[in-house]
Amino acid sequence: KPCCEGLQQCLGDWHVTSTWSYLCLSSCDHRPGPPVVSGLSICPKTVSLHSGHSIWNVAASSESCASSDGIRGDVGYACADSSGAVDWSSIYVDMDSVTNKVGCFV
């Protein structure tokens, strides 16, 4: 079934169950992908916090941190077990994933 006018048909694992389906959205930019292997035994796979299911959010401001790069949330991930089940209450910060390590990570 096609999407309504102005929407895109986006393929993703929307419920993080390893079941891929289509969803009609204004943009497919933030669709969740499969968990990525992290190399850590306590957090074998990771999923971007921007997938929309996490309890963690990037703060709008911070009293304790000031940076010309602003507040960043590009290094935050949720942990998934080896089967791909995501623990959305977990948080894994991967500073190795970015070259620019300057900024406020809250």
Side-chain angles (χ1 to χ4, degrees), residues 65-72 74 95 100-106:
C65 183
S67 169
S68 60
D69 288 341
I71 297 176
R72 297 177 50 190
D74 54 336
M95 294 302 290
N100 180 5
K101 297 177 181 6
V102 176
C104 297
F105 299 93
V106 293

Side-chain angles (χ1 to χ4, degrees), residues 18 35-36 41-47 78-87 90:
S18 298
V36 177
S41 61
I42 195 167
C43 182
K45 297 181 179 181
T46 61
V47 176
C79 292
D81 65 18
S82 57
S83 71
V86 180
D87 175 0
S90 66

Side-chain angles (χ1 to χ4, degrees), residues 77-101:
Y77 300 88
C79 292
D81 65 18
S82 57
S83 71
V86 180
D87 175 0
W88 289 110
S89 65
S90 66
I91 188 167
Y92 167 61
V93 177
D94 184 7
M95 294 302 290
D96 285 335
S97 68
V98 292
T99 55
N100 180 5
K101 297 177 181 6

